[in-house]
Amino acid sequence: METGGSLVQAIRKPTLTPKAIIHQKFGSKASYTVEEVEEPTQNGCPGLAILQKGPCLYRCSLELPDFTVVSGSFKKKKDAEQSAAQIALEKLGINLSSDNPTAEEAWRELIARVKYIFSNEFLSALHPLSSHFKAALRRVGDLNASVPASVIAICDGKLNNLCKIINPTVESHPLLVLSYIMRAAAGLPELVVSAEGQLSIWRKDPYPPNVIESSISQQSDVAESITTTAIYIPCSPEKAVEPVILNISSTGYYLDVIGQILGLSDANMVLISRTIGKASSETRLYFAAPKSYPLDMSSDLLNAKVVPFGGPLNAKASSLCGQDIYGDSILASIGYTWKGQDIFHEDVTLQSYYRMLISKIPSGVYKLSREAILAAELPLTFTTKTNWKGSFPREILSSFCRQYRLLEPVFCVSSIPLKASSELSRSNNKPEVSESAEQEREYANENESVDVDPKLAVLGSSFTCEVKIYAKCQDLILECAPDVLYKKQNDAVQSASLKVLSWLNAYLKDTYMSLEKEKQLANVFDIKFYRQIFFKEVVKCLSVCNCQHNETLGGKEPELNGVVENDASYINIEGTDSGLCPSNGSLLCVCYSVSLVTKGELQKELLESIEEFEFEMGTGAVIPCLEAVVSQMSVGQSACFYTELPPEDLVLAAAKDLANALAFLTSPCCLEYSIILLQVTEPPEDRMEQALFNPPLSKQRVEYAVQHIKEFCATSLVDFGCGSGSLLESLLEYPTSLETIAGVDISQKSLSRAAKVLHSKLVMKSDFDAPCRSIKSAILFDGSITDFDSRLCEFDLATCLEVIEHMEEEQASLFGDIVLSSFRPRILIVSTPNYEYNVVLQKSNLTSHEDDPEEKIQSQSCKFRNHDHKFEWTREQFQHWASELAVRHKYRVEFSGVGGAVDLEPGFASQIAVFRRVFLPEDDDSLKDENSASELGKPIQELLSTTIKMRLDNRSRSMNNTTIFYRWKSI
């Protein structure tokens, strides 16, 4: 579903919000009161007494002089306020669509706004611009009471909005606002004066003394002088960026000081850029206008053009603010704010300048969020909130859009029901985005959550996410539509955001790549972008200094497969081998420091150090050389290695002492990394497998079982070691011949979860086409799979997937004997990890031996896949165990597996034995123990009878001619 087209047409022209119109008409007489409300939430599991808290909602009450209105409930406070304002406008008979001014009306309002700004009333108003007016009154000589037009342009948002209505290109050319302000001032000869060719305005008649005294009395006592640090950015690329000191007296005007540093006799000719960084920041660039600034007074208002500058373009400065900056400039954080009458100022250091520079690339934003500029990298994959460190991909993408003056990214999330997601997974087709309003939501705000049909959420729907980015003028710049399905909507959003960031990262480092490589890069990240608009809105501010960014932020050119050669040298690892080593998916904690070291003289300058730094192995979350060295270490060991210098901007952004760092960089030097591996947290087995297999091994094992169910038309299945019911739950997604499913496990906690899951699936199968509609009963048993119970006899098919390795080897053999001799299923499917495949999962090296196989096994350095595994067998050991069982109990056994291939070393990742019964035993002595078994078979708890009873309405319920029983019995 395309969400951009109508959006473009709807807000192509800037409009006033309902709240803004209420403020225009009532000002402080309009009072908003927002309160949090609670609304009842429908329980997703009927019959379960589980409290479910709904989303936090807000309601707003708007009180006006004549009446009061109350909004509905909204997730955001601002939406509730806007709704209340909208209701009030409707009561007042004000139609928003008819109140949007035309260009001619906006021009008249612009003149009225300039007139108000120079009124007596405005001078005493609490407004950043009024503080500039008061400071201008302290200027001496001909500059007294003279206000620079550039100050009016940047401080008054209403003027800017009116100019955008008059001419939408103002968004791309902010200095065009100056032309409109000067033109408006020329239309008020009775109030203000403006000299031709200059960029300043002053009142024709001085302010009355009482107005001046009143405004000055509002200001608090200030220090005699203010000293703050700024950065001087020369236009010439050969000249160095350096700090300058701004000394501003209490009776002076800070723009006059900046003008003097820029070599201007008239500070009114100082132009001011947009804010850099956060919207509330006062960090801006100051630069000189041409000596004669032509304002094209004869051009039509709607066709006004930006006047080209005569001076050279300042590439370094332009890259910071995404706006053309000409000549030398000063980067300073100073100005007046809404918070008070006093001047605000903050030091801008060389380090902060370099940090601003690297933040123009997504990987730079991530490095800064982790405070690990020389160690961290933007990861290749999103690995859930638990293991993701630093700013989340969605936050970084929103930050990137704000930096480049783009609209907030739009996220279109689609919910795919179980049946559809299963079919898509099997067919490998790209999922189509549903047009249902209940299944797709646009993300308009960084912290907004996705609304999804609660029924679909209960059913465990999969999610996909499409990302679109628009320019301020509403042109679509790029879109990313991955065809990957995720179980959680947040994972879909974050992963799609990361794809966009990874593409931006690679593209902005090489904007002159060939069209063939450009196309290949876009295909890798599922990106479709509109080249002309992208270059205009994003690349323009970087293209003028593209070489600098290639050197500064690129380092090595990123490989499309995420593999980068290790560039570390002189590795020295110290300490005894503890045996606890990292593997892919492990969560590592290291202590590290990075220093500049001169070659030969052994002088050091510390750049960056962190005592505890966490990252996940194998996700690209750190620079490749650091991960390569850590992979060779064990917990407690330390390492030291050297690398060539990275781009200079990264070094200076990380340096604690810029002067010393710059001195080192003038001579041959390199980086020294010192690392201590503090801790390794083993990765969950399923996450390690998911990193290498698509679909995951767990999904492949389910489909393997489904294949045998269909092949033998099995009507009953029991899962030994069912745990929390993942296999049984997955089987409900497939249309099969199964009528009865059962699970056995020793963990009551796991069985509780399995009961809830099966309940939510089966009671929702009202759809006649639901895959699980043939299921008539689902039974869960609490007990050990090595104990006998007659109720588990004669099932068509039994499964035991990835269970036996959690038992001692003797218990695994006992289980095999009990199942094949007593329960006697027609088919038994047993799977277990192939230990030999761990070399692939953990990227270890197995020693090659041609001697005793047992000696070979003992010499292998691979770890088990899970800390709870009691053993992991090789292919030979597994086949020996299964073959003996089959012969002993008159079964035939076949070997297969999933993940990998039988004819390629080291075989399958998960090895499988399929036992097939060849004949029924003539005697069945096991059934003689039925009476003794029944004593153990007493129900320990009827499901949902008190706390988690699973029998609907305390009895069986018939749905679609299918009786569903939920029983929990003890073996």
Side-chain angles (χ1 to χ4, degrees), residues 663-677:
F664 268 77
L665 292 174
T666 58
S667 58
C669 58
C670 61
L671 286 188
E672 178 191 74
Y673 285 78
S674 297
I675 311 170
I676 301 175
L677 182 55

Side-chain angles (χ1 to χ4, degrees), residues 188-464:
L188 298 167
E190 73 288 350
L191 178 64
V192 298
V193 177
S194 59
E196 186 176 352
Q198 293 190 9
L199 295 174
S200 59
I201 309 173
W202 59 93
R203 276 174 57 113
K204 186 174 183 179
D205 298 323
Y207 290 100
N210 62 321
V211 174
I212 296 177
E213 290 176 4
S214 174
S215 63
I216 293 177
S217 65
Q218 295 176 4
Q219 292 182 290
S220 62
D221 295 332
V222 294
E224 292 185 359
S225 63
I226 293 173
T227 301
T228 186
T229 304
I231 300 297
Y232 189 86
I233 307 176
C235 180
S236 172
E238 287 78 23
K239 294 182 179 179
V241 175
E242 57 186 14
V244 294
I245 304 298
L246 304 181
N247 290 311
I248 305 161
S249 68
S250 58
T251 58
Y253 187 31
Y254 75 88
L255 273 183
D256 289 330
V257 176
I258 291 176
Q260 290 173 8
I261 297 176
L262 290 173
L264 300 174
S265 57
D266 182 1
N268 291 330
M269 299 303 290
V270 174
L271 299 182
I272 309 173
S273 78
R274 305 158 163 160
T275 58
I276 299 174
K278 296 181 180 178
S280 59
S281 170
E282 289 301 317
T283 305
R284 302 175 186 270
L285 284 161
Y286 299 83
F287 57 106
K291 292 182 179 180
S292 179
Y293 189 92
L295 295 175
D296 193 13
M297 303 297 285
S298 61
S299 65
D300 186 84
L301 286 173
L302 295 177
N303 297 308
K305 298 179 181 178
V306 174
V307 180
F309 279 73
L313 187 68
N314 190 326
K316 298 176 183 176
S318 298
S319 66
L320 281 179
C321 65
Q323 175 183 344
D324 291 343
I325 306 296
Y326 296 87
D328 296 346
S329 66
I330 292 177
L331 176 67
S333 182
I334 188 170
Y336 295 101
T337 68
W338 289 90
K339 296 181 179 180
Q341 303 285 339
D342 298 338
I343 190 170
F344 165 86
H345 63 93
E346 210 170 44
D347 288 342
V348 180
T349 63
L350 270 176
Q351 186 186 57
S352 59
Y353 162 75
Y354 286 110
R355 290 188 170 212
M356 290 178 198
L357 195 61
I358 68 171
S359 70
K360 300 296 290 185
I361 299 291
S363 62
V365 179
Y366 181 77
K367 287 172 176 286
L368 292 171
S369 73
R370 298 224 59 193
E371 285 295 325
I373 295 172
L374 298 175
E377 282 290 354
L378 184 68
L380 301 172
T381 57
F382 179 75
T383 55
T384 74
K385 291 182 179 180
T386 305
N387 285 346
W388 180 275
K389 310 299 177 184
S391 295
F392 286 96
R394 181 179 177 180
E395 298 170 4
I396 298 174
L397 185 58
S398 295
S399 174
F400 178 88
C401 291
R402 287 192 292 269
Q403 282 208 56
Y404 285 85
R405 305 285 167 171
L406 308 173
L407 291 179
E408 285 288 313
V410 175
F411 297 86
C412 304
V413 179
S414 298
S415 156
I416 312 295
L418 281 173
K419 179 182 177 181
S421 63
S422 301
E423 292 174 353
L424 288 168
S425 176
R426 291 193 295 272
S427 64
N428 251 341
N429 290 333
K430 185 173 182 178
E432 295 181 0
V433 179
S434 171
E435 294 189 4
S436 171
E438 292 296 324
Q439 298 180 16
E440 184 175 70
R441 293 290 185 269
E442 290 185 2
Y443 279 65
N445 171 285
E446 183 175 341
N447 296 314
E448 185 179 355
S449 61
V450 185
D451 294 328
V452 180
D453 189 335
K455 291 184 179 180
L456 294 178
V458 169
L459 288 174
S461 301
S462 298
F463 298 92
T464 62

